[in-house]
Short mmCIF file of all heavy atoms in Angstrom, two decimals:
data_model
loop_
_atom_site.label_atom_id
_atom_site.label_comp_id
_atom_site.label_asym_id
_atom_site.label_seq_id
_atom_site.Cartn_x
_atom_site.Cartn_y
_atom_site.Cartn_z
N PHE A 1 54.66 114.64 76.27
CA PHE A 1 53.22 114.24 76.57
C PHE A 1 52.37 115.48 76.93
O PHE A 1 51.25 115.60 76.56
CB PHE A 1 53.16 113.21 77.74
CG PHE A 1 51.80 112.75 78.02
CD1 PHE A 1 51.08 111.96 77.23
CD2 PHE A 1 51.14 113.21 79.26
CE1 PHE A 1 49.79 111.46 77.48
CE2 PHE A 1 49.87 112.85 79.47
CZ PHE A 1 49.18 111.95 78.67
N SER A 2 53.04 116.42 77.71
CA SER A 2 52.37 117.62 78.10
C SER A 2 51.86 118.48 76.98
O SER A 2 50.80 119.11 77.03
CB SER A 2 53.24 118.47 78.99
OG SER A 2 52.58 119.59 79.53
N VAL A 3 52.68 118.49 75.80
CA VAL A 3 52.26 119.31 74.64
C VAL A 3 51.44 118.50 73.58
O VAL A 3 51.09 119.09 72.60
CB VAL A 3 53.51 120.02 74.03
CG1 VAL A 3 54.20 120.84 75.04
CG2 VAL A 3 54.47 118.93 73.44
N SER A 4 51.32 117.24 73.81
CA SER A 4 50.65 116.39 72.74
C SER A 4 49.18 116.63 72.86
O SER A 4 48.61 116.96 73.89
CB SER A 4 50.97 114.89 72.98
OG SER A 4 50.32 114.44 74.21
N PRO A 5 48.42 116.49 71.75
CA PRO A 5 47.00 116.71 71.71
C PRO A 5 46.24 115.83 72.73
O PRO A 5 45.20 116.27 73.26
CB PRO A 5 46.58 116.28 70.29
CG PRO A 5 47.80 116.44 69.44
CD PRO A 5 48.97 116.09 70.39
N SER A 6 46.77 114.66 73.10
CA SER A 6 46.04 113.84 74.04
C SER A 6 46.63 113.94 75.46
O SER A 6 46.04 113.32 76.36
CB SER A 6 46.22 112.41 73.63
OG SER A 6 47.61 111.95 73.53
N GLY A 7 47.66 114.78 75.62
CA GLY A 7 48.31 114.91 76.91
C GLY A 7 47.54 115.89 77.85
O GLY A 7 46.64 116.64 77.42
N ALA A 8 47.87 115.70 79.11
CA ALA A 8 47.38 116.59 80.17
C ALA A 8 48.38 117.58 80.52
O ALA A 8 49.47 117.20 80.94
CB ALA A 8 46.85 115.86 81.32
N MET A 9 48.18 118.82 80.32
CA MET A 9 49.18 119.88 80.46
C MET A 9 49.79 119.89 81.90
O MET A 9 49.03 120.12 82.88
CB MET A 9 48.63 121.29 80.13
CG MET A 9 49.69 122.37 80.14
SD MET A 9 50.76 122.26 78.84
CE MET A 9 51.66 123.83 78.98
N GLN A 10 50.97 119.63 82.03
CA GLN A 10 51.83 119.68 83.24
C GLN A 10 51.14 118.91 84.44
O GLN A 10 51.29 119.20 85.60
CB GLN A 10 51.89 121.13 83.71
CG GLN A 10 52.84 121.90 82.74
CD GLN A 10 52.98 123.42 83.11
OE1 GLN A 10 52.30 123.85 83.98
NE2 GLN A 10 53.93 124.08 82.36
N VAL A 11 50.47 117.76 84.11
CA VAL A 11 50.01 116.78 85.09
C VAL A 11 51.00 115.62 85.16
O VAL A 11 51.29 114.97 84.22
CB VAL A 11 48.69 116.27 84.70
CG1 VAL A 11 48.25 115.15 85.66
CG2 VAL A 11 47.65 117.33 84.68
N THR A 12 51.53 115.47 86.37
CA THR A 12 52.60 114.46 86.56
C THR A 12 52.13 113.24 87.36
O THR A 12 52.74 112.22 87.28
CB THR A 12 53.86 115.08 87.36
OG1 THR A 12 53.39 115.61 88.66
CG2 THR A 12 54.45 116.17 86.58
N THR A 13 51.03 113.34 87.98
CA THR A 13 50.38 112.23 88.76
C THR A 13 49.46 111.34 87.90
O THR A 13 49.07 110.22 88.30
CB THR A 13 49.57 112.71 89.99
OG1 THR A 13 48.57 113.55 89.51
CG2 THR A 13 50.54 113.55 90.92
N GLY A 14 48.97 111.83 86.71
CA GLY A 14 47.99 111.18 85.98
C GLY A 14 46.61 111.50 86.36
O GLY A 14 45.64 111.06 85.76
N ASP A 15 46.41 112.32 87.46
CA ASP A 15 45.13 112.71 87.98
C ASP A 15 44.90 114.22 87.66
O ASP A 15 45.65 115.06 88.14
CB ASP A 15 45.12 112.46 89.44
CG ASP A 15 43.65 112.68 90.08
OD1 ASP A 15 42.84 113.33 89.44
OD2 ASP A 15 43.46 112.04 91.14
N THR A 16 43.97 114.48 86.83
CA THR A 16 43.81 115.92 86.34
C THR A 16 42.86 116.70 87.26
O THR A 16 42.60 117.86 86.95
CB THR A 16 43.15 115.86 84.89
OG1 THR A 16 41.90 115.19 84.95
CG2 THR A 16 44.12 115.24 83.91
N ARG A 17 42.34 116.11 88.28
CA ARG A 17 41.47 116.93 89.24
C ARG A 17 42.24 118.04 89.93
O ARG A 17 43.46 117.88 90.25
CB ARG A 17 40.91 115.95 90.28
CG ARG A 17 39.91 114.96 89.78
CD ARG A 17 39.50 114.07 91.01
NE ARG A 17 40.52 113.27 91.49
CZ ARG A 17 40.48 112.69 92.65
NH1 ARG A 17 39.42 112.76 93.41
NH2 ARG A 17 41.52 111.94 93.12
N PRO A 18 41.63 119.18 90.07
CA PRO A 18 42.35 120.32 90.76
C PRO A 18 42.86 119.85 92.14
O PRO A 18 42.18 119.19 92.91
CB PRO A 18 41.28 121.32 90.94
CG PRO A 18 40.32 121.00 89.82
CD PRO A 18 40.27 119.56 89.63
N GLY A 19 44.13 120.17 92.36
CA GLY A 19 44.80 119.80 93.64
C GLY A 19 45.34 118.44 93.64
O GLY A 19 45.98 118.00 94.62
N HIS A 20 45.25 117.75 92.56
CA HIS A 20 45.79 116.39 92.52
C HIS A 20 46.83 116.13 91.34
O HIS A 20 47.22 115.06 91.19
CB HIS A 20 44.57 115.31 92.27
CG HIS A 20 43.66 115.21 93.42
ND1 HIS A 20 43.64 114.26 94.38
CD2 HIS A 20 42.65 116.05 93.74
CE1 HIS A 20 42.71 114.42 95.22
NE2 HIS A 20 42.06 115.54 94.89
N GLN A 21 47.07 117.12 90.59
CA GLN A 21 47.92 117.02 89.41
C GLN A 21 49.38 116.76 89.72
O GLN A 21 50.11 116.29 88.84
CB GLN A 21 47.82 118.28 88.57
CG GLN A 21 46.44 118.56 88.07
CD GLN A 21 45.77 119.70 88.90
OE1 GLN A 21 46.00 119.74 90.11
NE2 GLN A 21 44.98 120.53 88.34
N HIS A 22 49.91 117.13 90.83
CA HIS A 22 51.38 117.11 91.11
C HIS A 22 51.72 116.33 92.35
O HIS A 22 50.83 116.15 93.32
CB HIS A 22 51.94 118.56 91.24
CG HIS A 22 51.57 119.41 90.08
ND1 HIS A 22 51.03 120.65 90.25
CD2 HIS A 22 51.67 119.21 88.75
CE1 HIS A 22 50.85 121.16 89.04
NE2 HIS A 22 51.27 120.30 88.09
N TRP A 23 52.91 115.79 92.35
CA TRP A 23 53.41 115.01 93.54
C TRP A 23 53.83 115.88 94.68
O TRP A 23 53.52 115.69 95.83
CB TRP A 23 54.54 114.11 93.10
CG TRP A 23 54.13 113.01 92.11
CD1 TRP A 23 54.29 113.01 90.81
CD2 TRP A 23 53.48 111.83 92.51
NE1 TRP A 23 53.79 111.94 90.21
CE2 TRP A 23 53.31 111.11 91.24
CE3 TRP A 23 52.99 111.27 93.71
CZ2 TRP A 23 52.69 109.78 91.22
CZ3 TRP A 23 52.42 109.93 93.66
CH2 TRP A 23 52.25 109.29 92.43
N VAL A 24 54.63 116.92 94.40
CA VAL A 24 55.16 117.73 95.46
C VAL A 24 54.97 119.26 95.17
O VAL A 24 54.81 120.00 96.18
CB VAL A 24 56.69 117.44 95.67
CG1 VAL A 24 56.89 116.15 96.26
CG2 VAL A 24 57.51 117.66 94.38
N SER A 25 55.01 119.72 94.01
CA SER A 25 55.01 121.11 93.68
C SER A 25 53.72 121.83 94.23
O SER A 25 52.63 121.36 93.95
CB SER A 25 55.09 121.33 92.15
OG SER A 25 55.18 122.70 91.85
N GLY A 26 54.01 122.84 95.03
CA GLY A 26 52.89 123.59 95.61
C GLY A 26 52.17 122.88 96.76
O GLY A 26 51.12 123.40 97.22
N ARG A 27 52.79 121.77 97.31
CA ARG A 27 52.05 121.01 98.29
C ARG A 27 52.66 121.05 99.67
O ARG A 27 52.50 120.14 100.46
CB ARG A 27 51.93 119.52 97.84
CG ARG A 27 51.20 119.38 96.53
CD ARG A 27 50.89 117.89 96.25
NE ARG A 27 49.96 117.37 97.24
CZ ARG A 27 50.32 116.42 98.08
NH1 ARG A 27 51.47 115.82 97.99
NH2 ARG A 27 49.47 115.95 98.92
N ALA A 28 53.36 122.09 100.05
CA ALA A 28 54.01 122.26 101.34
C ALA A 28 52.97 122.02 102.44
O ALA A 28 51.91 122.49 102.50
CB ALA A 28 54.65 123.57 101.46
N GLY A 29 53.38 121.23 103.43
CA GLY A 29 52.51 120.94 104.52
C GLY A 29 51.52 119.81 104.31
O GLY A 29 50.94 119.34 105.30
N GLN A 30 51.41 119.35 103.13
CA GLN A 30 50.50 118.19 102.85
C GLN A 30 51.25 116.89 102.91
O GLN A 30 52.49 116.87 102.65
CB GLN A 30 49.86 118.34 101.53
CG GLN A 30 49.02 119.73 101.38
CD GLN A 30 48.37 119.91 100.03
OE1 GLN A 30 47.81 118.97 99.52
NE2 GLN A 30 48.49 121.07 99.49
N PRO A 31 50.48 115.78 103.09
CA PRO A 31 51.24 114.48 103.12
C PRO A 31 51.64 114.05 101.68
O PRO A 31 50.95 114.28 100.78
CB PRO A 31 50.11 113.54 103.66
CG PRO A 31 48.87 114.18 103.32
CD PRO A 31 49.06 115.66 103.38
N CYS A 32 52.78 113.37 101.63
CA CYS A 32 53.24 112.77 100.41
C CYS A 32 52.28 111.78 99.89
O CYS A 32 51.66 111.00 100.73
CB CYS A 32 54.54 112.14 100.64
SG CYS A 32 55.16 111.14 99.25
N ARG A 33 51.93 111.77 98.62
CA ARG A 33 50.96 110.86 98.10
C ARG A 33 51.39 109.43 98.16
O ARG A 33 50.57 108.51 98.01
CB ARG A 33 50.59 111.29 96.61
CG ARG A 33 50.11 112.68 96.44
CD ARG A 33 49.62 112.91 95.03
NE ARG A 33 49.47 114.37 94.80
CZ ARG A 33 48.39 115.02 95.12
NH1 ARG A 33 47.37 114.38 95.85
NH2 ARG A 33 48.20 116.33 94.87
N ARG A 34 52.70 109.11 98.37
CA ARG A 34 53.12 107.76 98.39
C ARG A 34 53.40 107.32 99.84
O ARG A 34 52.96 106.20 100.27
CB ARG A 34 54.54 107.68 97.67
CG ARG A 34 54.32 107.71 96.15
CD ARG A 34 55.66 107.67 95.42
NE ARG A 34 55.63 107.54 93.97
CZ ARG A 34 56.62 107.72 93.15
NH1 ARG A 34 57.78 108.09 93.69
NH2 ARG A 34 56.36 107.60 91.87
N CYS A 35 54.06 108.11 100.68
CA CYS A 35 54.47 107.66 102.01
C CYS A 35 53.83 108.42 103.17
O CYS A 35 53.85 107.92 104.32
CB CYS A 35 56.00 107.78 102.19
SG CYS A 35 56.53 109.45 102.30
N GLY A 36 53.09 109.46 102.87
CA GLY A 36 52.41 110.24 103.94
C GLY A 36 53.28 111.20 104.69
O GLY A 36 52.79 112.06 105.54
#
């Protein structure tokens, strides 16, 4: 999906906004998007 024409490159959350693309990567010290 990441390399497909319609895909969002390396977005795992489905949210392409800066700072919202990943669940854990690069997010040390921030709350988990699921459990906090």
Side-chain angles (χ1 to χ4, degrees):
F1 182 73
S2 184
V3 301
S4 68
S6 60
M9 184 70 173
Q10 294 180 350
V11 173
T12 58
T13 61
D15 189 337
T16 59
R17 292 177 297 166
H20 294 260
Q21 301 101 322
H22 306 132
W23 293 101
V24 291
S25 184
R27 299 191 64 242
Q30 300 181 47
C32 174
R33 301 188 192 280
R34 286 178 174 167
C35 72

